[in-house]
Amino acid sequence: MLLEFEPGASYGAHRHPAGEEYWVIEGSIIDGGNSHGPGTWISHPAGSVHRPRSDEGCLLLVRLEAPIEPLTGLVGE
């Protein structure tokens, strides 16, 4: 799927029961404390948890094998 982050947007903490892969098409995303720009391919293993955000906005191509599991009560939530 294509996922667009507006500038300053963030996605709540969530788990990927079957993993996730995404490719940054435009802009940049901050994930795990690292900023990733255009052309970057990111892979998260099954069971991984993260809370991505984008200061400038971005467009991602995302591949999921299973729906995400939203999480609450984590630091920063």
Side-chain angles (χ1 to χ4, degrees):
M1 75 176 141
L2 286 175
L3 179 62
E4 183 176 8
F5 281 64
E6 295 293 326
S10 65
Y11 205 91
H14 58 281
R15 178 183 315 5
H16 291 281
E20 172 194 45
E21 296 177 322
Y22 64 81
W23 181 53
V24 182
I25 298 171
E26 295 176 354
S28 66
I29 188 165
I30 300 168
D31 195 354
N34 298 307
S35 181
H36 307 285
T40 305
W41 184 259
I42 303 296
S43 179
H44 292 289
S48 62
V49 173
H50 68 145
R51 184 175 186 221
R53 65 183 175 86
S54 181
D55 293 340
E56 69 175 272
C58 64
L59 180 64
L60 308 174
L61 176 62
V62 180
R63 180 177 178 263
L64 299 171
E65 293 292 327
I68 65 167
E69 297 173 348
L71 302 174
T72 59
L74 297 178
V75 174
E77 284 292 297

